[in-house]
Amino acid sequence: MSDKEHIWIPKLKQQLSDKKIDRREFVRYASLLGMSSGAAYMWAGKITGQPLAPPAMAQDMPKGGVLKIAQRIPKVDNPHTFSWVYDSNVVRQVCGYLTRTGVDNVTRPHLCEKWEASEDLKTWTLHIKKDAKWHKGEDFTAEHAAWNIKHCLDPKVGSSVVGLMKGYMLKDVDTGTKDDKGNAVMTTELWDANAIEIKDPKTLVLNLAQAQVAVPEHLFHYPFLMLDPAENGAFAVGSNGTESFELVELEISRKAVFKRRPDAPGYLDELHFIDLGDNPTAVAGALASKQVDGIYQGNIEQFDLYKGMPHVDIHQVVTAQTAVARMQMTQKPFDDPKVRKAIRLATDPAKCLQIAHKGVGEPAEHHHVCSVHPDYKKIEPLGYKPDEAKKLLAEAGHPDGIDIEIFCKPDPSWEQAAVEAMAEQWKAGGIRAKINVLPSAKFWEVWTEVPFGFTEWTHRPLGFMVLALAYRTGVPWNESRYSNKQFDELLNKAEGTLDVDKRREILGELETIMLEDGPITQPLWRSVYAAYDKRVQGFEIHPTLYIFGEQLAVKPA
Amino acid sequence: MTVTSVPATEMPKRRPLLLRILKSITLLRESYVGMFGAVLVLFWLVMAVGADLFPLRDPLAQSAPDLLKPALSLAPDGTTYWLGTDDKGRDILSRLIFGSRLVLFWSVLATVVAYAVGMLLGVMAGYRGGWWDEVISFIGNVFLSFPPMVLFLVILTNFGPTSSMGQYIGSLGVGSTVVSGVIIIVAITFGTAPQVARIVRGLVLDLKTRDYIAAAEVRGESPLYIMLVELLPNARGPLIVDACLRLGYVIIAIAVLGFLSLGLPPPEPDWGKMIAEVRGFGAMASNAMIWPAMAISSLVLGLNLLADALREISLRD
């Protein structure tokens, strides 16, 4: 992507040669540092001797037709505040991102044609594609990209992008007002007036407060859609965009209908998302009876059911998708680290995985970094020690154990099953939990407010990304209100460390903090799958379940 | 004018309660259908009362290696899962038996409360007449105009454990099972009491023309006394039969609410929820679905057959 090789690329080549990183990690980091993914794959092949994987070119992809996919259709009027992947799947067909992380976890330019990182990883220059245009004919420019970045980082908007970029793009400032308790009310603003710099209509420069290796991957965080500034952050039927489709019909909780623009890349005439509700059996029934051609995501209970459908292909991928039982450390008894650790000690992730997800996935380790993350560090697991949990509770002033209440939602069903599994295990540790199952819509109204809740987190390509989103002090999705200065400092350090070995060590320290002091107990990592009619061509399952309509085609029945 | 005294006719003494029950059982024995119903109901009653005495597994204990096991499969400890296990490796037999306690407790309580409210409203409407009758009948008709399940759903969604009110009650330290149970009782009372009131009103309209009511009024008995002591006890025959049938409906209603996740909270072994929890597995979980379905059917069938037999007996009397 860059004409000039970044100084770290030779080191990456050396690490690959020394087998300190694998082929995929090399491609990912080389791409992030400006090498084109094609060149990165070629280098990886040269060094490791593995052949360059042939690109999945679909020369015989059928043209035309209507593809119907079952997925939920929530409100999508404010894309920068999305907190769910399927919301973004709707807008993604119309509006693009500056970058795109593919199914191979490698990030490539999308509305950019290339990027360059400075040697100190503090200056990122994004070159916008010359031919990137809005549907209405206007050029997509650096100014438009800058507006979207600023909009996402505006604290009034409430975008989760703040969680990812706060450490290097924002600074805390005092609003000059006090809250009810007399504490200063803080807000954030760009750390420097030149943090986002428009060099020319097609060149945008991000000047960071501190080094950050994952800027291109952050630019593909699912709410980070490039919206037309003229629409002021709103999205609706007929909204302007840069991608292949136009949204022509939208009925919340019913359907979204897209039509491919004339001459736009892609194969389909129309793409329909059909909302079949929370009931997974209805979704399976719709695919079995060919009322839909694919499903966004299958429930674990239906796995064998889909396998038994002769006209269906199952697409499965190991991911860092999970859900965590998170405790608000501002609420009693979770304000005591001993209580939080006791709950972790009384949880048996291996059994939770068996019971809640039928063993399809991996047991988690309570620190929210997955073994599929390249920066994962294997540390001594806590293990299931209910007796130690009891002792810790006694030390925390609860010799008779504690009574707590955990909030969860019934959909997808594995979440409630995981909560039931944990609650049963906690009994041995003197933890008596009442399970409060809220309807999904109601749960999402209160998910950041309940003292103890079970929240689903989607896959992120790098380990520190989710730690930054969920546990950095003061970020919007920090539902546990977790605040730990040492943790924040290590996180900043990890974000600016390219050397994978060194970053892995930092992640190890972060993982240890999560085990000793952290606000979560985490039962499992799950594999995900989608099921599509064999007539559907071009579908590859993304670990984050993103759907790219322009890559899909459907054979006539 | 001479006054002649007439010796008072001695009122026939009522037989003791025990004798009356024994007589009813004797009469019930004449009806095979009734006996079959009574045996089914008695079976579940014994299971519910004696659950702690049977050598059963903990109904909440999960076993990761034993998910969705079929009936008669062996557990790792060498014992047998007589009815198999559910999706969390819990013993279905144990959950059914402990679940019968929950089902019978909450359904009987809900039916009793609904009957108490319905009988009071019905007897007031029937005996007092006038605007009492107009108002009570109008309100009853409003509630009866809703399909019962829709009414239950409206009440449970707006006032159930997941509503703001339910959350507030929960925050007062009341157990979630109690909160759910109380809200279920309220919902069933709203759906059932107007039906009971309508039956009682009809019976009372007939009974209040009887001589013994006129005699009580001449004696100067209060309306409350007449309603509670003279009218309601004499309307009991058809009401007992109806209560048996209605208890069956309530059991089905509670099971449906459990199936819709509006019943008792997890991990309680609510029969309806036991079906709902495994239905996503489709045919793979047919064993785990069939047993709670059979439990619900058998108990409701038993109550219906018993009600039929009681009606036959009451007609013979």
Side-chain angles (χ1 to χ4, degrees), chain B residues 218-240:
Chain B
V218 169
R219 285 202 309 271
E221 301 292 359
S222 70
L224 189 65
Y225 177 88
I226 292 169
M227 285 191 280
L228 296 184
V229 179
E230 301 288 353
L231 286 170
L232 281 182
N234 285 299
R236 70 185 184 281
L239 289 180
I240 289 170

Side-chain angles (χ1 to χ4, degrees), chain A residues 279 301-302 304 351 354-355 358 407 416-417 420-421 424 427 434-439 442, chain B residues 58 60-62 64 67 87-88 90 162 167 170 174 176 265-267 277 279-281 284:
Chain A
N279 184 354
E301 297 99 317
Q302 270 89 42
D304 288 331
K351 279 193 180 159
Q354 284 299 325
I355 289 167
K358 313 311 164 210
F407 291 76
Q416 187 181 324
E420 285 186 42
E424 188 60 23
K427 285 179 188 170
K434 187 170 99 177
I435 301 170
N436 199 333
V437 186
L438 297 178
K442 190 162 183 75
Chain B
D58 177 352
L60 306 183
Q62 303 170 348
L67 309 182
D87 63 317
K88 297 178 185 72
R90 296 177 294 203
T162 58
Q167 296 295 316
V174 183
S176 53
E277 282 176 341
R279 77 188 195 281
F281 292 93
M284 289 181 301

Side-chain angles (χ1 to χ4, degrees), chain A residues 346-505:
Chain A
T347 305
D348 186 342
K351 279 193 180 159
C352 287
L353 177 69
Q354 284 299 325
I355 289 167
H357 218 249
K358 313 311 164 210
V360 183
E362 281 183 16
E365 294 165 285
H366 305 305
H367 49 57
H368 214 155
V369 182
C370 179
S371 63
V372 301
H373 288 134
D375 37 14
Y376 165 82
K377 167 86 176 172
K378 180 77 188 168
I379 60 171
E380 186 65 30
L382 274 187
Y384 176 56
K385 295 168 186 162
D387 292 335
E388 272 188 40
K390 269 185 186 168
K391 274 186 207 162
L392 270 180
L393 286 179
E395 285 172 27
H398 306 285
D400 301 323
I402 51 171
D403 290 284
I404 53 177
E405 180 178 20
I406 182 164
F407 291 76
C408 66
K409 58 191 175 66
D411 168 52
S413 55
W414 73 267
E415 290 187 24
Q416 187 181 324
V419 170
E420 285 186 42
M422 287 191 294
E424 188 60 23
Q425 291 160 9
W426 292 340
K427 285 179 188 170
I431 300 156
R432 297 169 294 275
K434 187 170 99 177
I435 301 170
N436 199 333
V437 186
L438 297 178
S440 299
K442 190 162 183 75
F443 179 85
W444 288 118
E445 286 173 19
V446 298
W447 72 288
T448 57
E449 303 305 320
V450 295
F452 191 25
F454 194 67
T455 315
E456 193 172 356
W457 285 90
T458 194
H459 170 93
R460 299 291 183 312
L462 301 176
F464 62 81
M465 283 175 73
V466 74
L467 298 182
L469 271 172
Y471 311 109
R472 173 177 263 145
T473 303
V475 294
W477 282 0
N478 184 344
E479 49 173 339
S480 59
R481 316 281 192 267
Y482 188 61
S483 180
N484 181 321
K485 201 176 168 193
Q486 189 196 358
F487 182 88
D488 290 348
E489 284 170 2
L490 282 168
L491 199 52
N492 291 342
K493 202 171 153 191
E495 287 173 336
T497 304
L498 182 67
D499 185 307
V500 182
D501 284 339
K502 282 185 186 162
R503 183 138 50 83
R504 206 172 275 135
E505 292 308 313

Side-chain angles (χ1 to χ4, degrees), chain A residues 68-115:
Chain A
K68 293 179 180 173
I69 299 174
Q71 77 146 35
R72 301 307 308 268
I73 306 293
K75 276 170 73 175
V76 290
D77 50 358
N78 198 356
H80 285 166
T81 62
F82 283 165
S83 53
W84 208 243
V85 168
Y86 46 66
D87 327 27
S88 71
N89 271 342
V90 174
V91 183
R92 181 175 293 109
Q93 314 310 325
V94 179
C95 299
Y97 296 81
L98 290 173
T99 60
R100 184 181 275 189
T101 306
V103 293
D104 54 0
N105 245 355
V106 174
T107 302
R108 300 171 175 87
H110 187 65
L111 288 172
C112 293
E113 64 183 7
K114 62 178 180 179
W115 60 72

Side-chain angles (χ1 to χ4, degrees), chain B residues 190 235 283 302:
Chain B
F190 272 102

Side-chain angles (χ1 to χ4, degrees), chain A residues 203-220:
Chain A
T203 311
L204 181 71
V205 178
L206 299 180
N207 297 302
L208 317 188
Q210 49 190 270
Q212 171 59 255
V213 69
V215 170
E217 286 177 320
H218 290 174
L219 292 173
F220 190 54

